Amino acid sequence: QQQVKQSPQSLIVQKGGISIINCAYENTAFDYFPWYQQFPGKGPALLIAIRPDVSEKKEGRFTISFNKSAKQFSLHIMDSQPGDSATYFCAASAGYSTLTFGKGTMLLVSP
Amino acid sequence: DVKVTQSSRYLVKRTGEKVFLECVQDMDHENMFWYRQDPGLGLRLIYFSYDVKMKEKGDIPEGYSVSREKKERFSLILESASTNQTSMYLCASSTDTDTQYFGPGTRLTVL
């Protein structure tokens, strides 16, 4: 069964700190790895995504690190801000298959 | 901007009732999806559709059906609502299976 395992379930980070969320997968056919951000009362929205031809992708304070051999990828939020407090989901898909989501991480950035 | 709207933000129904959840997207997307979101379980795919009148089962289709008579509209139907279907329901659409755009969700309570 296709699975994406996400950790931690919840995370508290001080303002200005680095938030790190990890995901691991088993299906080596996965070739697209997005992260979605969800604020309370809203639907998830695409934050950043990576394909396995690169090991890192950075967009502003958000960076995806990808380790193909370990079948792991992670989201790093630099200089975390209270406005980053949200639930984050990693996901993966293979070709034109549907997305398989992780179970989510609730991030709280304390002022 | 892509807009995905869901007919209700909150819905309360009784056990055994037939429930319709409506989703409309305004960007001419081919693909539409229904998920349910439960704490600690993440996003689980119920049904999806790649085209009008086409439907495919997701990971948890039991107790649900769908209808897609028009490209922009995708309906989720609970034939006989049960208490274990109390959940947040999210609709999404995409032009391919990569970036999915989500609606704000419908929180359904079945009493």
Side-chain angles (χ1 to χ4, degrees):
Chain A
Q1 185 179 3
Q2 296 183 353
Q3 277 190 348
V4 177
K5 294 183 180 179
Q6 183 172 346
S7 63
Q9 266 192 309
S10 62
L11 182 61
I12 300 175
V13 173
Q14 296 270 8
K15 179 182 175 182
I18 303 173
S19 303
I20 302 174
I21 305 170
N22 301 299
C23 284
Y25 63 96
E26 295 182 357
N27 186 349
T28 55
F30 284 151
D31 61 0
Y32 176 68
F33 303 90
W35 285 89
Y36 281 77
Q37 180 188 55
Q38 183 181 29
F39 293 107
K42 305 283 187 181
L46 179 66
L47 180 64
I48 186 172
I50 196 169
R51 294 194 182 274
D53 52 340
V54 295
S55 60
E56 187 175 280
K57 183 173 181 180
K58 185 175 181 180
E59 291 185 1
R61 296 183 294 107
F62 300 90
T63 300
I64 298 180
S65 297
F66 182 76
N67 186 329
K68 189 174 182 177
S69 61
K71 292 184 285 185
Q72 295 176 347
F73 59 109
S74 60
L75 176 69
H76 292 64
I77 306 173
M78 311 300 288
D79 186 26
S80 299
Q81 298 297 312
D84 297 329
S85 297
T87 299
Y88 292 82
F89 294 95
C90 63
S93 67
Y96 290 100
S97 70
T98 56
L99 287 171
T100 298
F101 284 87
K103 293 186 177 182
T105 297
M106 290 182 62
L107 171 66
L108 176 64
V109 180
S110 59
Chain B
D1 280 351
V2 174
K3 191 169 184 181
V4 179
T5 57
Q6 296 184 228
S7 52
S8 305
R9 294 302 303 274
Y10 301 93
L11 209 52
V12 179
K13 295 292 182 180
R14 298 237 174 242
T15 301
E17 279 192 78
K18 190 170 186 176
V19 181
F20 293 85
L21 302 182
E22 305 284 338
C23 175
V24 177
Q25 50 95 3
D26 66 357
M27 285 302 292
D28 202 35
H29 286 171
E30 293 82 11
N31 309 314
M32 296 189 75
F33 308 83
W34 275 107
Y35 295 89
R36 64 178 283 176
Q37 181 177 10
D38 301 287
L41 297 179
L43 300 171
R44 294 182 291 168
L45 183 64
I46 304 171
Y47 267 97
F48 60 101
S49 169
Y50 287 131
D51 202 349
V52 176
K53 297 192 185 294
M54 303 291 288
K55 61 183 179 183
E56 298 285 343
K57 292 180 180 179
D59 299 318
I60 52 165
E62 296 77 19
Y64 303 95
S65 62
V66 291
S67 173
R68 194 166 181 200
E69 296 297 319
K70 293 185 177 181
K71 191 174 186 180
E72 69 272 17
R73 188 179 299 270
F74 193 33
S75 303
L76 180 68
I77 304 156
L78 287 65
E79 294 290 343
S80 177
S82 63
T83 55
N84 63 12
Q85 293 178 310
T86 292
S87 186
M88 171 68 82
Y89 290 88
L90 290 162
C91 175
S93 72
S94 72
T95 54
D96 51 42
T97 54
D98 289 352
T99 305
Q100 293 187 17
Y101 297 87
F102 285 84
T106 295
R107 185 165 294 281
L108 173 67
T109 301
V110 182
L111 302 175

